[in-house]
Amino acid sequence: MHGGPSFLGIGAQKAGTTWLHGMLQLHPGVGMPAVKEVHYWDVKHPKGVPVEEYEALFAPLDQPVRGEITPGYAILPPETIAVIYRRYPSLRLLLTLRNPLERAWSNAKMYLVLKGIVADESQVDSVGDDWYIEHFRSDLSLRRGDYETCLRNWLGCFPREQLLLSFYDDLLEDPRGFLARSCGHIGVGASPYADMEEDVLRRRVGTTAHPAIRPSLLQELRGLYADKIASLSDYLGRDLSRLWMDGVA
């Protein structure tokens, strides 16, 4: 019996993981490391950091339900996912999907701020289309938006019932219900949120202004993701093309 997590939030990036981390931290029955995005399996494990150092993060936690959220885990390679499964075969997984066009746009704006290219997101319109298109076409951005491959890699190791697949639109529409489903999946009740005020539940943790996707970039993003969204729709048996290709603004 290892002393590691009982659940992992694996992404997707820019799909409400900061909000979910903040909400779960408020739950007395859930133990989480103080820092979101531990980045063990995507950054430290490949460098040879012993798994015991990772599990030491969970050792001080008293709760039987313990976990962490690192959205970079969604794109882990199959061989790393297999290592995780062998060590934690009962692990519960949380994955939230966001319209990949909006995800790519949100990530690009965040990257501009992180790299100091602009001071904050209010200045993103000062950056030309060519920069955005290069970012959208980058291998990392495309892999983060290739949800079908992410799902196939994780479900190639973990049983389907151990992964809760959610959608960012559902979080925005009904955050209390989203939390209830997430809590039920990891094995705790949602009663701590029963009396939480709606404005607190809807508070968007760690976000800034989000201008709509620049119209001149929509055609590029639709071209990059049309086939991926159609294939994912077939894989999940849900028409995401109508929701994500036509519904984006």
Side-chain angles (χ1 to χ4, degrees):
M1 181 73 176
H2 300 295
S6 63
F7 75 89
L8 284 183
I10 63 173
Q13 187 203 46
K14 309 303 292 182
T17 56
T18 298
W19 177 87
L20 182 59
H21 180 270
M23 290 294 105
L24 290 178
Q25 276 192 317
L26 299 175
H27 197 300
V30 177
M32 305 181 75
V35 178
K36 176 183 176 273
E37 302 196 23
V38 172
H39 285 294
Y40 175 75
W41 294 106
D42 57 342
V43 176
K44 299 172 185 176
H45 174 72
K47 294 179 179 179
V49 176
V51 70
E52 289 78 14
E53 290 191 21
Y54 175 64
E55 293 178 345
L57 296 172
F58 302 93
L61 305 175
D62 296 329
Q63 299 91 336
V65 173
R66 304 179 296 184
E68 58 118 342
I69 299 175
T70 300
Y73 294 166
I75 59 172
L76 285 174
E79 55 268 24
T80 302
I81 297 171
V83 172
I84 297 171
Y85 178 71
R86 287 195 296 269
R87 193 158 186 94
Y88 315 114
S90 300
L91 196 67
R92 311 295 283 182
L93 305 170
L94 302 170
L95 175 64
T96 303
L97 303 185
R98 180 180 183 178
N99 184 328
L101 283 69
E102 294 178 345
R103 193 220 65 79
W105 171 243
S106 180
N107 173 253
K109 293 183 297 172
M110 179 184 72
Y111 187 89
L112 285 169
V113 176
L114 287 176
K115 295 299 181 180
I117 300 172
V118 299
D120 56 57
E121 289 194 12
S122 67
Q123 300 178 9
V124 297
D125 283 337
S126 67
V127 179
D129 284 5
D130 288 347
W131 183 91
Y132 284 105
I133 290 171
E134 183 179 359
H135 186 85
F136 295 155
R137 293 179 180 177
S138 69
D139 176 69
L140 183 57
S141 182
L142 290 172
R143 285 195 294 123
R144 289 191 186 279
D146 186 1
Y147 301 144
E148 183 178 344
T149 295
C150 296
L151 280 164
R152 287 185 182 277
N153 286 343
W154 279 92
L155 295 179
C157 290
F158 282 86
R160 177 64 183 86
E161 62 269 17
Q162 288 178 221
L163 185 148
L164 176 66
L165 182 63
S166 303
F167 289 85
Y168 186 68
D169 298 289
D170 296 332
L171 187 161
L172 296 180
E173 181 178 341
D174 180 18
R176 201 182 305 273
F178 185 97
L179 270 177
R181 290 188 293 275
S182 300
C183 287
H185 185 69
I186 64 176
V188 293
S191 58
Y193 309 109
D195 298 324
M196 186 174 287
E197 295 181 4
E198 192 71 13
D199 63 331
V200 176
L201 274 170
R202 292 185 177 276
R203 190 174 299 150
R204 298 182 66 178
V205 182
T207 60
T208 54
H210 283 271
I213 298 173
R214 187 180 299 174
S216 58
L217 296 173
L218 265 179
Q219 183 176 356
E220 172 71 19
L221 285 168
R222 284 176 172 146
L224 287 172
Y225 286 102
D227 289 345
K228 286 184 173 64
I229 292 172
S231 182
L232 180 66
S233 295
D234 290 340
Y235 178 61
L236 295 179
R238 173 173 175 170
D239 184 6
L240 295 169
S241 295
R242 182 185 299 273
L243 175 66
W244 285 348
M245 292 290 286
D246 302 333
V248 71

